[in-house]
Amino acid sequence: MTRPLRIFADIRCDSATEEKLRIGVSPHELIRPTESISVLSSINASLTGVDIAFGQPGVAGVLASDTLRWVHVSSAGYTRYDTPEFRAAAQSRGLALTNSSSVYDEPCAEHVLAFMLGAARQLPRGLQSRAASGTRDWNGLRSACRSLRGESLLILGYGAIARHLVRLLAPFHMRIVALRRRPSGDEEVPIISFEELPAALAKADHVLNILPDNAQTRGFLNEERLAQIKPGAFLYNIGRGTTVDQPALVQALRSGQIAQAWLDVTDPEPLPPGHPLLALENCHITPHIAGGHQNESQSLVDHFLQNFRRYVEGSSLNDRVL
């Protein structure tokens, strides 16, 4: 008889969700960190003798384990695993890496839609105004409101979030194009090349950044590219704060080159008191909550268990990134 699999899980969850996880992997063995679950305990956890890791296992522990065959990350991002060293090790050992993008694509897309509607409908300014109907301030605010219908959107980074957002935006009949490093051919919008990016930036009323953090994307929206954006456009970032040159963004917002920035991610997080972005009335920041939703840990466990069943059956894994 094949021995039971050993599954290490460092995800934070309540006792009921943990029990659901334990029952879901039964009769296989669930291993929880001996220390209180924290980033430190996860990084230092030994994965010796472990077959599957679920959560945020430390890279060193993953690379040191000669039994590990599958890592399922409890986030959409997988920056620390996205290195040449890790990719080479994964390929040589047949190690699979999956993420939880399917858990976060819908709430993240809805967060972007909320950003876009907030920008178009002048919600920050409107919620603070007490202008009387018919006054100059009232007329100015009213005339500044706009519709998304027919406007253009450029998406930087086309994946699960972008796919869901494109469907949410369908009723607005927007003109949408996207930049993707490796097009798959099944995208629902036209994909542009890096050579076409300057022209696309110059045409877009809205620019959405969903780029992950890696060596190729850090500082991607630099001073040059921000200057290429259509004057008065709206910029949204729910990817990673490191992909935007923040001093250059400050200048673009001050000059009006960018009408408004709506950010769910910054570098660092949170921004320190006195940071220039915090003082700008046309910069709106939420504290990295785009993927948040009720019963989040339960959604993560459900997603893992669906993939776990596929793993046991020998089927292809969902959300596989390596």
Side-chain angles (χ1 to χ4, degrees):
M1 180 178 177
T2 304
R3 69 170 178 82
L5 297 169
R6 304 185 78 221
I7 302 106
F8 171 86
D10 62 5
I11 180 175
R12 290 187 182 93
C13 58
D14 59 31
S15 57
T17 304
E18 179 172 347
E19 183 63 15
K20 182 176 186 178
L21 176 59
R22 193 175 299 278
I23 292 173
V25 300
S26 178
H28 304 282
E29 181 183 1
L30 179 67
I31 302 167
R32 297 286 273 167
T34 54
E35 305 172 49
S36 61
I37 297 174
S38 66
V39 173
L40 182 61
S41 65
S42 172
I43 289 174
N44 293 333
S46 172
L47 298 174
T48 301
V50 169
D51 301 283
I52 299 169
F54 168 39
Q56 294 292 325
V59 172
V62 172
L63 295 178
S65 173
D66 58 2
T67 57
L68 198 61
R69 292 295 175 264
W70 171 34
V71 175
H72 184 88
V73 183
S74 58
S75 59
Y78 54 99
T79 300
R80 58 181 170 163
Y81 309 97
D82 190 15
T83 65
E85 178 190 14
F86 191 93
R87 286 178 175 274
Q91 185 175 10
S92 66
R93 291 162 42 184
L95 175 68
L97 178 69
T98 55
N99 68 0
S100 298
S101 62
S102 293
V103 174
Y104 295 110
D105 56 357
E106 184 173 356
C108 283
E110 290 176 355
H111 203 84
V112 175
L113 179 58
F115 273 178
M116 295 180 70
L117 288 171
R121 304 310 303 168
Q122 297 291 316
L123 289 190
R125 182 179 165 193
L127 289 168
Q128 292 179 2
S129 177
R130 295 295 179 267
S133 178
T135 62
R136 178 181 296 179
D137 287 347
W138 182 87
N139 282 318
L141 178 57
R142 186 179 175 90
S143 63
C145 292
R146 56 202 286 174
S147 172
L148 295 178
R149 182 173 295 275
E151 295 204 324
S152 57
L153 167 65
L154 168 62
I155 303 175
L156 305 176
Y158 191 90
I161 296 171
R163 287 183 187 276
H164 200 84
L165 177 65
V166 166
R167 293 164 192 164
L168 291 178
L169 290 173
F172 298 99
H173 303 285
M174 298 185 74
R175 293 171 285 118
I176 306 175
V177 298
L179 177 73
R180 192 176 199 184
R181 181 172 53 178
R182 290 189 290 268
S184 60
D186 63 351
E187 295 87 359
E188 297 174 343
V189 299
I191 301 300
I192 64 167
S193 66
F194 283 92
E195 291 73 24
E196 297 171 302
L197 180 57
L201 288 169
K203 294 177 183 177
D205 300 302
H206 305 264
V207 177
L208 168 61
N209 177 25
I210 322 180
L211 293 172
D213 174 81
N214 57 46
Q216 290 73 42
T217 62
R218 286 176 200 131
F220 186 85
L221 280 176
N222 54 21
E223 183 177 4
E224 179 183 4
R225 289 195 172 110
L226 290 172
Q228 292 169 347
I229 293 176
K230 179 180 180 180
F234 298 96
L235 175 66
Y236 315 90
N237 188 13
I238 63 160
R240 287 294 181 265
T242 54
T243 62
V244 177
D245 180 338
Q246 289 183 165
L249 176 59
V250 170
Q251 294 306 314
L253 287 166
R254 285 174 175 168
S255 69
Q257 171 69 18
I258 305 297
Q260 295 179 26
W262 293 69
L263 315 174
D264 187 57
V265 289
T266 57
D267 182 31
E269 292 177 357
L271 293 175
H275 192 282
L277 284 175
L278 299 176
L280 296 174
E281 293 184 357
N282 56 346
C283 184
H284 311 287
I285 303 173
T286 54
H288 206 147
I289 58 169
H293 55 280
Q294 291 178 330
N295 303 317
E296 187 174 335
S297 62
Q298 182 175 320
S299 298
L300 288 168
V301 166
D302 288 341
H303 180 52
F304 170 74
L305 290 177
Q306 289 170 7
N307 245 359
F308 179 73
R309 287 189 286 271
R310 298 179 71 86
Y311 182 86
V312 172
E313 294 166 358
S315 303
S316 59
L317 298 173
N318 292 324
D319 291 340
R320 182 162 183 171
V321 291
L322 289 181

